[in-house]
Amino acid sequence: MAIQIPTRLLFIDGEWREPVLKKRIPVINPASEEIIGSVPAATAEDVELAVEAARRALARNKGRDWASASGAVRAKYLRAIAAKITERKSELAKLEAIDCGKPLDEAAWDVDDVAGCFEYYADLAEGLDAQQKASISLPMEQFKSHVLKEPIGVVGLITPWNYPLLMATWKVAPALAAGCAAILKPSELASVTCLELADVCREVGLPPGVLNILTGLGHEAGAPLASHPHVDKIAFTGSTITGSKIMTAAAQLVKPVSLELGGKSPIVVFDDVDIDKAAEWTAFGVFWTNGQICSATSRLIIHENIAAEFLDRLVKWIKNIKISDPLEEGCRLGPVVSGGQYEKILKFISTAKSEGATVLSGGARPEHLKKGFFIEPTIITDVTTSMQIWRDEVFGPVLCVKTFSSEDEALELANDTQYGLGAAVISKDLERCERVSKALQAGIVWINCSQPCFCQAPWGGNKRSGFGRELGKWGLDNYLSVKQVTQYASDEPWGWYKSPSKL
């Protein structure tokens, strides 16, 4: 009997609600290709209800219930959510694995990170109280000035399918910490755990309308959310093409956006490395989360002196990766999220071959798995910088390789991309690592590793990888508006105009 997911409705104004048009979207387990349930499909009508609920939540009791409550009040709810997430860890991890295909061990790690992120932003919410009315030193003593940090208002949060609950939390936790009311629209390809987050919020008694969760298709639910005149900001993680559409919609209303988009990140490996350590980090950097990471270091730039030996060793490492149903013990590579993604990745591989590249390893369905959207970890060599595989984001377990002979050449290759999310450098020479880190055009640089991510450190890119930073105190600033308050504190009249003569 296939595992079934809980049947949920939309979460609006603190209640479960049937979508206005009563539509649902089937949920397919990518490991078995079986339908395991469905999620509600929100449309513009539901977006309208959610926005109204969020507006009411901010206005309730003149804002004292949420928006202008002390940060300590909001922190209590965030901590309660974190505790419930931890309590339900094993169930949530299992749902994540069957919904998006990531190995169960990874999904469990994600759930720990979700709880940690809510805890972290609970601390920052409390810290906000002390930052209010921070005084500003002025050159004119008759004036006093201070700053207030206020929630931006109602925020639309549109999130991807590769880390369904974690990417939602990266936005939900700081938005709530700041005192915003939020409408979360997760990806239709994996939104099961986001509906479980709604259940958690209901259990902990989060005030109605503070967080509304609408599952549904991008064009039916995401687009009306992005263009809604009463949504004060949109935060989006996903493809560059969709990010551009969201910017266009927001521009009509001069609405702020923060965007975390695609990537084609380099990993530069010099010839002084420990080959096994570097090979494992190279594999982890592109095959973790089944290769479906916006920051995946999917372009290996390897020193020509060790290229042959390194690739030989790397192939041995990846042949050792256990590819299986995500719920199987020891699974380290599961299926990609959907049939559409599976076909798209295979097309990337066949285009690379037709353009003259060589598939060194992988490139097809694993022989032992007859069902599911599985693709072997793939290494592609003999790549030129004009090839699609070098330029475009694959979003799957595919690594392309080029060699270099000098540091300058390595940097030229590394920065030869329209993206700028992540980059990694591996070398025993730490001075060189520091030099290269400064020269890499990316928002995140890893030295002697790839992909570690901590909720205390800023996350985001430049170029076509987007703008704005999530996580850390920067993540909280995303949802705060800064207000200057200046007072004339002198008893003397201002005296700029000549006083009318007194009668």
Side-chain angles (χ1 to χ4, degrees):
M1 168 86 179
I3 301 171
Q4 294 289 303
I5 60 165
T7 301
R8 299 281 187 205
L9 302 175
L10 302 174
F11 187 64
I12 299 172
D13 209 14
E15 296 175 352
W16 297 113
R17 294 212 187 165
E18 184 91 51
V20 171
L21 301 186
K22 297 189 166 39
K23 296 198 317 190
R24 294 186 73 85
I25 300 165
V27 174
I28 294 166
N29 179 342
S32 65
E33 302 180 43
E34 290 172 353
I35 293 174
I36 52 170
S38 65
V39 292
T43 54
E45 294 85 348
D46 304 296
V47 171
E48 200 59 53
L49 294 172
V51 173
E52 284 168 13
R55 284 268 156 222
R56 280 196 302 275
L58 291 184
R60 196 178 294 120
N61 196 13
K62 296 188 174 170
R64 287 190 286 268
D65 285 7
W66 191 255
S68 55
S70 82
V73 168
R74 297 192 294 270
K76 279 181 190 164
Y77 288 106
L78 295 178
R79 290 204 177 96
I81 291 169
K84 282 280 177 202
I85 294 281
T86 301
E87 205 178 283
R88 292 171 66 167
K89 175 182 170 178
S90 107
E91 166 211 349
L92 289 170
K94 201 169 283 186
L95 288 172
E96 203 76 296
I98 62 172
D99 191 22
C100 74
K102 67 170 57 193
L104 184 61
D105 288 347
E106 274 191 41
W109 190 356
D110 283 3
V111 176
D112 286 339
D113 284 351
V114 165
C117 192
F118 275 109
E119 286 280 359
Y120 174 74
Y121 281 107
D123 292 345
L124 260 56
E126 285 177 335
L128 261 182
D129 293 341
Q131 292 171 40
Q132 294 296 14
K133 294 195 172 179
S135 68
I136 297 168
S137 172
L138 299 176
M140 295 175 75
E141 59 189 27
Q142 63 265 58
F143 292 97
K144 288 180 179 172
S145 190
H146 66 260
V147 163
L148 296 176
K149 290 187 172 181
E150 299 176 334
I152 275 181
V154 173
V155 293
L157 313 175
I158 302 176
T159 55
W161 45 259
N162 54 342
Y163 291 82
L165 188 55
L166 184 58
M167 294 290 105
T169 300
W170 280 19
K171 291 175 172 41
V172 168
L176 299 193
C180 293
I183 298 147
L184 171 66
K185 206 302 278 182
S187 165
E188 66 274 13
L189 290 178
S191 41
V192 170
T193 48
C194 288
L195 290 172
E196 296 311 297
L197 173 62
D199 196 46
V200 165
C201 291
R202 210 178 46 81
E203 278 186 47
V204 304
L206 189 71
V210 164
L211 178 62
N212 306 277
I213 301 178
L214 305 180
T215 51
L217 301 173
H219 65 282
E220 290 183 349
L225 181 61
S227 61
H228 199 289
H230 296 137
V231 172
D232 301 301
K233 171 172 182 156
I234 295 288
F236 170 75
T237 298
S239 74
T240 300
I241 291 169
T242 306
S244 177
K245 286 179 185 166
I246 284 169
M247 259 185 104
T248 304
Q252 314 311 308
L253 302 161
V254 198
K255 179 185 300 191
V257 294
S258 45
L259 303 173
E260 202 262 81
L261 308 175
K264 191 73 181 178
S265 302
I267 180 165
V268 180
V269 179
F270 285 90
D271 59 356
D272 61 347
V273 299
D274 175 310
I275 283 185
D276 268 328
K277 283 182 190 168
E280 186 180 8
W281 278 116
T282 300
F284 185 77
V286 70
F287 301 133
W288 189 44
T289 311
N290 310 334
Q292 301 167 124
I293 323 175
C294 48
S295 58
T297 38
S298 57
R299 291 183 301 134
L300 169 61
I301 299 164
I302 176 85
H303 197 289
E304 61 186 19
N305 290 353
I306 60 163
E309 183 190 356
F310 186 87
L311 289 172
D312 182 57
R313 197 73 193 134
L314 182 61
V315 168
K316 289 187 172 72
W317 271 92
I318 69 168
K319 295 279 188 206
N320 211 26
I321 291 173
K322 179 172 178 175
I323 311 169
S324 70
D325 185 297
L327 299 182
E328 257 188 51
E329 196 171 333
C331 172
R332 285 296 175 264
L333 192 88
V336 298
V337 74
S338 68
Q341 285 298 116
Y342 175 80
E343 295 300 336
K344 188 176 144 195
I345 295 161
L346 291 179
K347 181 80 167 52
F348 264 107
I349 295 167
S350 69
T351 300
K353 284 195 275 196
S354 70
E355 288 182 353
T358 303
V359 176
L360 179 69
S361 183
R365 166 185 285 283
E367 283 179 16
H368 67 290
L369 293 162
K370 306 300 178 206
K371 264 200 164 168
F373 309 124
F374 292 93
I375 297 172
E376 293 174 309
T378 301
I379 300 175
I380 296 180
T381 56
D382 300 319
V383 171
T384 66
T385 57
S386 62
M387 286 180 183
Q388 182 200 43
I389 199 72
W390 177 264
R391 308 217 72 80
D392 294 350
E393 182 177 42
V394 176
F395 225 69
V398 180
L399 178 71
C400 65
V401 186
K402 272 194 79 60
T403 61
F404 71 92
S405 57
S406 70
E407 188 176 308
D408 284 349
E409 187 190 0
L411 282 167
E412 195 177 321
L413 288 167
N415 291 330
D416 176 35
T417 172
Q418 62 184 347
Y419 297 110
L421 184 52
V425 53
I426 303 193
S427 169
K428 286 180 180 169
D429 180 344
L430 292 182
E431 272 183 31
R432 170 160 60 199
C433 288
E434 197 170 318
R435 210 166 48 238
V436 169
S437 296
K438 285 180 180 170
L440 287 164
Q441 296 164 2
I444 304 149
V445 177
W446 296 290
I447 295 175
N448 291 329
C449 59
S450 179
Q451 305 309 314
C453 176
F454 303 94
C455 69
Q456 297 79 5
W459 183 275
N462 48 36
K463 299 199 267 188
R464 290 196 199 170
S465 291
F467 49 82
R469 292 294 178 267
E470 295 198 292
L471 302 183
K473 62 185 176 60
W474 302 269
L476 186 63
D477 288 342
N478 265 335
Y479 301 99
L480 290 168
S481 179
V482 175
K483 180 185 278 182
Q484 176 216 131
V485 180
T486 297
Q487 172 194 350
Y488 183 60
S490 169
D491 291 335
E492 297 300 314
W494 183 225
W496 181 255
Y497 298 108
K498 192 173 180 181
S499 174
S501 51
K502 291 172 184 166
L503 297 175

